[in-house]
């Protein structure tokens, strides 16, 4: 974990595969060991198709399809280098794991489907290999949250109805962060038990969970005025000093967000304490994507001109 007192945050452009447009390339996950993964708009695409990209040692490699699995799209990556992806077989959609993605040969494993449901784009994979995703019930078109548990490989995922909450993020112990069905506030779901997060009466948005800590924000009057929040491991809410939003939190408590307002400068905090604004390349005024944050405290986001990487050197 980087020591902000003894290092300086540096920003660099993420290299894009040859022939691909940096403006339509996004990093979605990292193994916190120098490798990362994401998506790039396919060259010559007329139907908005993207290709999966894996950066190993900083160099990108494109994976367009594997046998009859096409339209691959990266959602996340964990520290073991397992990449969570969405893809399409001729007869179905699927959530898949690509283990060994940064090695010479990787292995694709399809996660079990659900009878009567269409699998939608998955969201998160945690360090033990649990996966948070979604599906649509074919009988009525209703969307649900689904959770695949690594301890029961081959088993169909558990279903969390959206009347309970919508899946936003997944902690390493299997706790699911849900947004409230009304879109105001958050809940924790673990083994079927739902625990509401403390609410202070204003409209709240929850974004991420790690080590039992949740980050998000609440609106303060009219947009873009907001106050970033951190719920500690006991569910007690605290204000993040000088932050309007909070996007991600690492295992070490590093928080990414925006200062002052929802249109403010990108910055970082340690739990609720402000550390620094993040530098931007010359000619770039801000970021346009939520952050990816590794436990090595390497950060990724995106500007209008392409993906960016920050490290504390």
């Amino acid at each position: 974990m980087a020591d902000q007192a003894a290092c300086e945050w540096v920003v660099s452009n993420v290299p894009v595969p040859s022939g691909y447009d940096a403006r339509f390339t996004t990093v979605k996950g990292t193994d916190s060991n120098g490798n990362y993964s994401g998506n790039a708009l396919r060259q010559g695409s007329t139907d908005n198709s993207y290709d999966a990209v894996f950066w190993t040692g900083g160099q990108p490699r494109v994976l367009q399809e594997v046998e009859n699995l096409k339209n691959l799209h990266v959602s996340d990556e964990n520290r073991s280098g397992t990449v969570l992806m969405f893809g399409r077989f001729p007869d179905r959609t699927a959530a898949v794991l690509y283990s060994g993605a940064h090695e010479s040969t990787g292995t694709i494993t399809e996660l079990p489907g659900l009878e009567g449901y269409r699998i939608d784009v998955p969201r998160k994979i945690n360090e033990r290999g649990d996966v948070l995703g979604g599906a649509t019930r074919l009988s009525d078109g209703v969307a649900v949250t689904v959770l695949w548990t690594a301890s029961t490989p081959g088993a169909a995922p558990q279903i969390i109805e959206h009347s309970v909450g919508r899946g936003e993020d997944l902690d390493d112990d299997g706790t699911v962060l849900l947004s409230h069905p009304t879109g105001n506030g958050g809940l924790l779901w673990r083994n079927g038990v739902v625990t509401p997060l403390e609410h202070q009466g204003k409209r709240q948005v929850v974004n991420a969970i790690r080590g039992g800590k949740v980050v998000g924000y609440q609106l303060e009057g009219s947009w873009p005025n907001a106050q970033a929040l951190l719920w500690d491991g006991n569910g007690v809410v605290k204000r993040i000093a000088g932050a309007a939003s909070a996007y991600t939190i690492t295992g070490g408590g590093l928080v990414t967000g925006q200062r002052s307002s929802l249109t403010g400068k990108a910055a970082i905090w340690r739990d609720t304490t402000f550390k620094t604004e993040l530098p931007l390349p010359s000619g770039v005024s801000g970021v346009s994507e939520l952050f990816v944050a590794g436990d090595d405290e390497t950060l990724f986001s995106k500007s209008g001109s392409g993906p960016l990487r920050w490290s504390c050197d």
Side-chain angles (χ1 to χ4, degrees), residues 1 166 255 269:
M1 184 172 66
R166 295 175 181 265
V255 175
W269 290 257

Side-chain angles (χ1 to χ4, degrees), residues 235-297:
V236 177
V237 65
K238 303 175 182 178
R239 292 182 168 231
I240 300 175
S245 65
Y247 296 144
T248 60
I249 182 168
T250 69
L254 186 74
V255 175
T256 64
Q258 291 163 288
R259 295 190 77 185
S260 304
S261 81
L262 295 176
T263 58
K265 297 291 187 180
I268 56 170
W269 290 257
R270 181 71 65 186
D271 291 320
T272 59
T273 303
F274 173 71
K275 290 300 181 181
T276 186
E277 287 188 5
L278 289 171
L280 294 170
S282 177
V284 173
S285 59
V287 296
S288 57
E289 294 278 347
L290 298 186
F291 276 86
V292 170
D295 277 345
D296 60 351
E297 303 197 345

Side-chain angles (χ1 to χ4, degrees), residues 11-159:
V11 63
S12 59
N13 294 305
V14 172
V16 174
S18 177
Y20 286 76
D21 192 331
R23 295 174 301 168
F24 306 110
T25 302
T26 305
V27 174
K28 299 293 288 186
T30 175
D31 69 356
S32 297
N33 194 36
N35 304 313
Y36 42 102
S37 53
N39 306 293
L41 183 67
R42 180 173 298 168
Q43 303 171 75
S45 171
T46 58
D47 59 356
N48 205 34
S49 294
Y50 280 73
D51 292 328
V53 183
F54 307 96
W55 285 267
T56 305
Q59 298 304 308
R61 171 176 64 92
V62 174
L63 183 69
Q64 290 187 333
E65 59 186 68
V66 178
E67 297 177 349
N68 59 347
L69 179 63
K70 301 181 179 181
N71 300 117
L72 291 168
H73 187 277
V74 171
S75 293
D76 195 16
E77 181 173 354
N78 67 11
R79 293 188 69 167
S80 70
T82 298
V83 177
L84 174 63
M85 296 192 294
F86 175 78
R88 297 180 185 274
F89 289 99
D91 63 341
R92 65 191 184 280
T93 56
V96 299
L97 301 179
Y98 188 23
S99 58
H102 301 289
E103 300 169 7
S104 57
T105 56
T107 302
I108 294 278
T109 303
E110 181 182 359
L111 293 172
L114 275 168
E115 185 70 28
Y117 289 81
R118 182 188 69 244
I119 297 299
D120 298 329
V121 177
R123 295 182 65 91
K124 294 291 180 179
I125 181 171
N126 67 11
E127 300 305 348
R128 69 184 189 186
D130 303 328
V131 170
L132 181 68
T136 299
R137 192 158 45 231
L138 299 178
S139 62
D140 56 11
V142 171
V144 298
T145 295
V146 294
L147 176 67
W148 287 272
T149 304
S151 61
T152 55
Q158 300 175 73
I159 294 174

Side-chain angles (χ1 to χ4, degrees), residues 124-206:
K124 294 291 180 179
I125 181 171
N126 67 11
E127 300 305 348
R128 69 184 189 186
D130 303 328
V131 170
L132 181 68
T136 299
R137 192 158 45 231
L138 299 178
S139 62
D140 56 11
V142 171
V144 298
T145 295
V146 294
L147 176 67
W148 287 272
T149 304
S151 61
T152 55
Q158 300 175 73
I159 294 174
I160 305 172
E161 297 287 346
H162 281 184
S163 58
V164 176
R166 295 175 181 265
E168 299 294 342
D169 200 7
L170 178 63
D171 209 349
D172 290 330
D173 66 356
T175 300
V176 178
L177 173 64
L178 302 173
S179 58
H180 195 275
T182 63
N184 183 6
L187 312 157
L188 301 182
W189 181 99
R190 180 132 190 244
N191 299 324
V193 177
V194 178
T195 305
L197 293 172
E198 182 181 341
H199 200 283
Q200 298 182 329
K202 298 178 180 179
R203 181 174 175 81
Q204 291 180 343
V205 175
V206 292

